[in-house]
Amino acid sequence: TAMGGARLGGDWLAGQIGTTRVIRASCYLACGGLIAFATALGPIMAIVGAALLGLGCANIYPLSVSLAAAQPTGRVERNIAALTFAAFSAFLIGPPLIGLLGSAFGLGIALLLLAPLTVYPPALLVEDAHPKPRKV
């Protein structure tokens, strides 16, 4: 529910404050939610952590696709294909890696080990001035 609600307002918010700012804030929110979920001592904190994680994750990929399409270098379809390849590779590698780490250290520790990965993308972003999509 949190993820769906955030996704519905993501494009509007990106138009108001900028795509990279929304992605950056979303990554930090996802990190906080992941930490809250991984360290939850009860179901209420776990639900709050999951909701924060959902709020954070909701707009990262769709807005990243918009940024990839708006890049002034490269062909639009290649930029989007590269992003999609990276995202789906992480999607395929992530669950088995979490399972492996969870078996070795416990699920809470495995999820905490992922938290730094959520704050890495904002370091790569350059502030935008509402980039306009290129015409194809």
Side-chain angles (χ1 to χ4, degrees), residues 33-100:
L34 184 59
I35 292 169
F37 184 76
T39 60
L41 299 175
I44 299 299
M45 188 170 172
I47 291 169
V48 169
L52 291 174
L53 182 58
L55 286 171
C57 290
N59 290 297
I60 295 171
Y61 181 74
L63 293 177
S64 295
V65 172
S66 296
L67 283 180
Q71 292 303 304
T73 59
R75 295 176 54 179
V76 172
E77 61 273 11
R78 287 188 184 176
N79 292 345
I80 293 174
L83 172 69
T84 302
F85 175 76
F88 279 93
S89 295
F91 180 73
L92 291 173
I93 294 168
L97 181 61
I98 293 169
L100 182 67

Side-chain angles (χ1 to χ4, degrees), residues 106-129:
L107 184 58
I109 298 296
L111 293 175
L112 286 174
L113 291 173
L114 294 176
L117 296 176
T118 62
V119 294
Y120 176 69
L124 301 176
L125 292 172
V126 176
E127 203 61 41
D128 70 323

